[in-house]
Amino acid sequence: MTEATPGERVALPCPACSPDLETVHEVLKPGGHVTVRCTDCDHVHKEQLPEETTLQRDVVVSQDGESFTAQVDVPEDADLAVGEEFLLETEEAVLTVRITSLETDEGREEEASVEAVETIWSRAVGNVAVNVTMHPKDGRHDETESFKLQVPGDFEFVVGETETFGDEEFTVEGIHVRDDAHGYDHEKMDFDGDSAVAKDINRLYVRDESSTAWSAW
C-alpha cells in the first residue's frame, strides 16, 4: 500500500460531505487504515489508501565525467520532463538527479509519459563540479586559468560577490547557465546581483583576488 505520513494531503471521498467525489484530506495517523480529516468539513474517518502501481525504468546518471546505470520505480500515471529532479536510491548512495533527456521508441524527447519512456538520462546535481575560468585581478583577459570547483548543487553564486574556496579567492563577473536550467531570463548573466545555483551553471567567469603571480603559471 502507499506509505502515508502525518500532514500529507491525499484525495479521497468523504463519507460526510462528498461520498461520490474526492476531496482533499489530511493524514492524521498512518497505518494499514490511515486516519484522515476532510479539509472541507473536518470529518475524521479511517480509509485504506489505494495501491499505487509503479513501472521500473532504467536511469543513466552522469556524474563527474563518468556515467552509470540504475533503476527507479515511477508511478505508472506519471509524466516526465527534462529539468525535473528526483531522488535515486543506489547501493552506494542516495542521489539527487536531474532529467536531461527521455528516450522513447521514437527517439529522445523533452516530455513523455512514463509508459512511453524506455530510459531516463540524467545527471547528478546534489554535489557538482563547476567549471571556472579565472583571469588576473589587473583585468587582463589574455591570460586565464581554468579549474573545477566541487560544491553542493544548491550553492548560489552571485555576480559581483567574492567567494573563497581553500587557496582560491575570486569575484564572480559572469555566469553561463546550462541548457537544462529553468527559471533564468538569460543564458549568460553579467550584471551585479545576477545569480544562479551551482547545479544550473555551465561555467563561471571570475576575477582572481588571491594573487598577482600569474607569471608562475
Side-chain angles (χ1 to χ4, degrees):
M1 298 298 171
T2 302
E3 293 290 336
T5 57
E8 183 178 345
R9 300 299 179 96
V10 295
L12 295 168
C14 176
C17 72
S18 182
D20 298 322
L21 296 175
E22 293 180 336
T23 63
V24 177
H25 285 66
E26 179 185 2
V27 175
L28 301 178
K29 184 179 180 181
H33 285 73
V34 298
T35 301
V36 295
R37 179 181 63 83
C38 175
T39 58
D40 284 353
C41 71
D42 289 332
H43 177 67
V44 176
H45 57 106
K46 288 183 177 290
E47 291 288 343
Q48 183 171 329
L49 296 184
E51 185 174 353
E52 183 177 71
T53 303
T54 61
L55 299 175
Q56 188 175 85
R57 292 292 180 262
D58 288 336
V59 184
V60 178
V61 181
S62 174
Q63 184 179 36
D64 296 335
E66 299 181 352
S67 62
F68 63 90
T69 301
Q71 284 75 41
V72 65
D73 293 324
V74 187
E76 67 173 355
D77 59 349
D79 292 321
L80 303 177
V82 168
E84 292 180 344
E85 297 178 8
F86 61 92
L87 288 178
L88 177 66
E89 294 188 25
T90 69
E91 293 182 358
E92 292 78 17
V94 178
L95 304 173
T96 301
V97 301
R98 174 181 291 177
I99 298 174
T100 57
S101 183
L102 298 166
E103 186 175 338
T104 70
D105 281 340
E106 299 181 358
R108 297 291 184 97
E109 304 287 346
E110 293 281 316
E111 299 179 358
S113 67
V114 67
E115 289 186 331
V117 172
E118 295 179 348
T119 302
I120 301 170
W121 294 81
S122 68
R123 65 182 178 90
V125 294
N127 289 285
V128 298
V130 177
N131 295 311
V132 181
T133 295
M134 183 163 65
H135 66 84
K137 65 170 62 176
D138 61 12
R140 289 180 292 122
H141 287 263
D142 55 343
E143 294 184 51
T144 61
E145 178 190 12
S146 294
F147 57 93
K148 292 181 181 289
L149 278 179
Q150 291 285 344
V151 293
D154 290 328
F155 187 93
E156 185 178 51
F157 289 96
V158 181
V159 174
E161 292 193 359
T162 300
E163 302 287 352
T164 301
F165 293 90
D167 295 332
E168 301 289 358
E169 183 179 6
F170 56 78
T171 298
V172 179
E173 294 190 331
I175 301 172
H176 183 199
V177 297
R178 290 176 172 270
D179 292 338
D180 61 7
H182 296 285
Y184 299 95
D185 293 332
H186 304 285
E187 183 179 349
K188 295 181 179 180
M189 299 177 289
D190 55 11
F191 288 97
D192 284 354
D194 287 346
S195 65
V197 292
K199 62 187 176 183
D200 291 338
I201 294 174
N202 185 43
R203 183 169 292 276
L204 279 179
Y205 295 91
V206 306
R207 181 179 69 250
D208 181 32
E209 302 289 359
S210 60
S211 173
T212 56
W214 279 68
S215 59
W217 293 357

